[in-house]
Amino acid sequence: MKNQNGTFKDWADANVTVQIENTVLYGYYTLYSVILFCVFFWIPFVYFYYEEKDEDDASKCTQIKTALKYTLGFVVICALLLLVGAFVPLHLPNNNNSTEWEKVKLLFEDLGTGRLAALSFSISSLTLIGMLAAITYTAYGMSALPLNLIKGTRSTAYERLENTEDIEEVEQHIQTIRSKSKDGRPLPARDRRALKQCEERLRTLRKRERHLEFIENSWWTKFCGALRPLKIIWGIFFILVALLFVISLFLSNLDKALHSAGIDSGFIIFGTNLSNPLNMLLPLLQTVFPLDYILITIIIMYFIFTSMAGIRNIGIWFFWIRLYKIRRGRTRPQALLFLCMILLLIVLHTSYMIYSLAPQYVMYGSQNYLIESNITSDAHKGNSTLAVPKRCDADAPKDQCTVTRTYIFLHKFWFFSAAYYFGNWAFLVVFLIGLIVSCCKGKKSVIEGVDEDSDLSDDEPSAYSA
């Protein structure tokens, strides 16, 4: 709606501006409502439907009834979140810094409560869960994915040789134990337990042998071997992007720690005192449509890929209990639904993560406004006033700069913003820990995971298991 010199375009009068803002806001209403529908109804319903489908004697009608019964609990939770959000007090605590506090109050007086507050509280609650998922999976995946691409996997031929040696060793051990009962004497309880363990170990090693033989002769292994140089290039690119994100996030969080309005305001920051690369790049790209959207799409896709890598390496856990493993070709439908749920919440948290990476872009974008500046002219032997453009910030007049709807939507409640701030520090710590762990770990096996109990049968090895 504005030119780069800070003036409004001819068609952007007050009525049109309000209409555009409301259209964007209703668009957020619609899209965020779809997210609530998926998280609190559709995904739980399909999950419990598949849970009942595992029962052989369950009819389709019974499956639907049972799924609806369990899904009703999620609907009640959603209703409670909307109810709490509609009535939770939005007033900010008192603060001694009156100047900064006036800015905070003016910022959030832009929109009222009601439907916005109820929906904002629900989405912020989901974003908080998405933050925990991002700390767990995305932060680790940002280090694990590029380093795994660079290091690659172990040689299939070398693993087969090692496995063959292990099989021979276990067979000799079994033969030694059985030789003790050649004269008809029964084996002691200790030897019987050892024999049973050795036989179980032998079955596992022979299963590994079948997988290794299958993978060594598969076309997928040969194709991946040909792409090895490209994987190394991608790995280097991913680790450089990860370092760019980490540096930008660290500088942004440090800026909040030093120059924000404090924890009682959710560490809201006005302007930028410590510049970071993404905060400078995105407003610049916004001046040329659609370069900023392309970069935002790349950032989101990067978070999705690294999150999937983290989930695949860690698995899906409920506290200390592992629920599912994610493996290509051998993943249960319920695990895929959990994967969709986690990725949905992580992408939801990405909305706030982008604010942490580029606060200027998320709040005001590339908007400018005009200020009057006094200049001295030698020709006229006096002072004159000249209107010069300045980047929009919290000091700008309210009718000259528009705060983005997404910023107000995600920062309606100061306590959520404070939690996101500390979550960003936790994200950086987990990334560093994951980077150290990924550097210390050796190359992955080409059949990593087949030794463990699988969610589906491993009798038919997958061509994509490598």
Side-chain angles (χ1 to χ4, degrees):
M1 296 184 292
K2 303 191 74 174
N3 300 308
Q4 288 303 307
N5 61 3
T7 60
F8 281 93
K9 295 182 179 180
D10 296 335
W11 54 267
D13 56 24
N15 294 330
V16 173
T17 301
V18 173
Q19 182 180 358
I20 292 176
E21 292 174 3
N22 291 335
T23 302
V24 173
L25 186 61
Y26 292 143
Y28 280 118
Y29 274 138
T30 304
L31 295 176
Y32 281 130
S33 298
V34 171
I35 290 177
L36 289 179
F37 173 78
C38 290
V39 171
F40 288 106
F41 182 81
W42 184 245
I43 293 180
F45 173 79
V46 178
Y47 175 84
F48 290 113
Y49 178 83
Y50 273 100
E51 282 290 301
E52 287 298 312
K53 194 174 182 180
D54 290 342
E55 302 292 335
D56 297 333
D57 58 345
S59 63
K60 189 174 290 293
C61 184
T62 303
Q63 293 171 218
I64 295 175
K65 287 181 179 179
T66 307
L68 286 174
K69 179 178 67 175
Y70 288 115
T71 305
L72 183 61
F74 288 86
V75 175
V76 171
I77 294 174
C78 180
L80 288 176
L81 288 175
L82 291 172
L83 191 63
V84 171
F87 294 101
V88 69
L90 279 175
H91 65 274
L92 297 168
N94 294 325
N95 191 287
N96 295 328
N97 192 342
S98 58
T99 304
E100 291 293 331
W101 217 243
E102 289 174 359
K103 295 179 182 179
V104 174
K105 288 184 177 180
L106 287 174
L107 182 65
F108 287 97
E109 286 173 358
D110 191 18
L111 290 176
T113 58
R115 291 174 299 171
L116 175 70
L119 190 57
S120 177
F121 186 87
S122 303
I123 293 298
S124 297
S125 301
L126 293 181
T127 305
L128 198 62
I129 302 174
M131 179 191 73
L132 299 177
I135 293 172
T136 305
Y137 296 114
T138 310
Y140 177 71
M142 285 174 61
S143 58
L145 176 62
L147 290 178
N148 286 339
L149 288 173
I150 294 172
K151 290 188 293 186
T153 57
R154 299 177 64 191
S155 169
T156 309
Y158 182 73
E159 284 202 61
R160 285 194 66 187
L161 179 61
E162 282 187 337
N163 195 72
T164 303
E165 293 176 352
D166 291 339
I167 290 176
E168 293 176 354
E169 182 181 346
V170 173
E171 286 177 341
Q172 289 177 1
H173 195 193
I174 291 175
Q175 187 176 2
T176 301
I177 295 175
R178 287 176 176 173
S179 64
K180 297 180 181 180
S181 62
K182 283 185 177 180
D183 55 358
R185 290 181 301 174
L187 287 172
R190 179 179 179 182
D191 288 337
R192 287 199 303 270
R193 288 195 300 269
L195 180 61
K196 185 178 180 180
Q197 292 175 356
C198 288
E199 289 174 344
E200 184 66 30
R201 173 66 175 161
L202 184 61
R203 282 193 294 270
T204 302
L205 290 173
R206 284 174 176 168
K207 185 174 68 173
R208 283 176 57 90
E209 179 69 19
R210 293 194 301 270
H211 279 277
L212 287 168
E213 183 179 0
F214 179 85
I215 291 171
E216 187 176 20
N217 298 325
S218 69
W219 61 268
W220 180 254
T221 303
K222 298 179 177 62
F223 178 72
C224 289
L227 293 180
R228 183 81 186 103
L230 186 60
K231 286 185 176 181
I232 296 175
I233 295 174
W234 274 109
I236 295 173
F237 172 75
F238 280 160
I239 198 65
L240 291 177
V241 173
L243 293 176
L244 173 64
F245 284 166
V246 168
I247 292 172
S248 298
L249 187 61
F250 174 77
L251 291 176
S252 179
N253 252 30
L254 184 62
D255 196 12
K256 291 181 183 180
L258 298 177
H259 306 106
S260 71
I263 187 173
D264 292 337
S265 67
F267 294 97
I268 294 176
I269 190 170
F270 299 99
T272 302
N273 300 283
L274 297 177
S275 299
N276 68 73
L278 285 176
N279 195 45
M280 294 186 294
L281 183 60
L282 278 169
L284 182 63
L285 293 180
Q286 193 181 29
T287 59
V288 182
F289 179 83
L291 294 182
D292 61 322
Y293 293 115
I294 294 175
L295 182 56
I296 290 293
T297 303
I298 292 174
I299 291 174
I300 294 174
M301 294 305 299
Y302 176 80
F303 278 123
I304 290 176
F305 281 123
T306 53
S307 300
M308 292 180 68
I311 296 172
R312 188 170 183 270
N313 279 275
I314 298 174
I316 298 174
W317 293 72
F318 182 75
F319 292 103
W320 60 89
I321 302 173
R322 182 162 69 176
L323 300 178
Y324 300 103
K325 292 177 290 185
I326 305 296
R327 292 183 295 161
R328 287 177 296 212
R330 296 195 301 275
T331 305
R332 294 179 63 86
Q334 294 92 327
L336 292 176
L337 288 169
F338 262 107
L339 175 64
C340 292
M341 175 84 79
I342 293 171
L343 290 177
L344 181 62
L345 295 175
I346 289 176
V347 172
L348 195 60
H349 176 252
T350 304
S351 301
Y352 185 84
M353 181 68 75
I354 293 176
Y355 161 73
S356 300
L357 295 170
Q360 173 64 34
Y361 173 79
V362 174
M363 288 186 69
Y364 295 103
S366 60
Q367 295 180 78
N368 294 321
Y369 71 101
L370 294 176
I371 60 171
E372 294 185 352
S373 176
N374 293 326
I375 60 172
T376 302
S377 175
D378 294 336
H380 299 85
K381 304 297 182 181
N383 294 332
S384 61
T385 302
L386 179 66
V388 296
K390 181 184 177 183
R391 186 73 74 186
C392 281
D393 53 25
D395 294 325
K398 189 176 180 180
D399 59 343
Q400 292 296 317
C401 293
T402 304
V403 180
T404 58
R405 304 300 93 180
T406 179
Y407 178 84
I408 296 177
F409 196 97
L410 293 175
H411 294 76
K412 196 68 179 172
F413 299 92
W414 64 271
F415 41 85
F416 282 119
S417 299
Y420 300 151
Y421 167 79
F422 292 109
N424 287 340
W425 286 117
F427 186 93
L428 294 173
V429 172
V430 173
F431 170 80
L432 293 177
I433 295 174
L435 188 64
I436 296 172
V437 172
S438 299
C439 290
C440 295
K441 289 176 64 176
K443 292 184 178 181
K444 294 173 59 177
S445 170
V446 293
I447 55 170
E448 182 173 335
V450 299
D451 296 337
E452 306 167 3
D453 294 331
S454 61
D455 296 321
L456 295 180
S457 174
D458 287 329
D459 294 338
E460 296 295 331
S462 171
Y464 305 98
S465 59

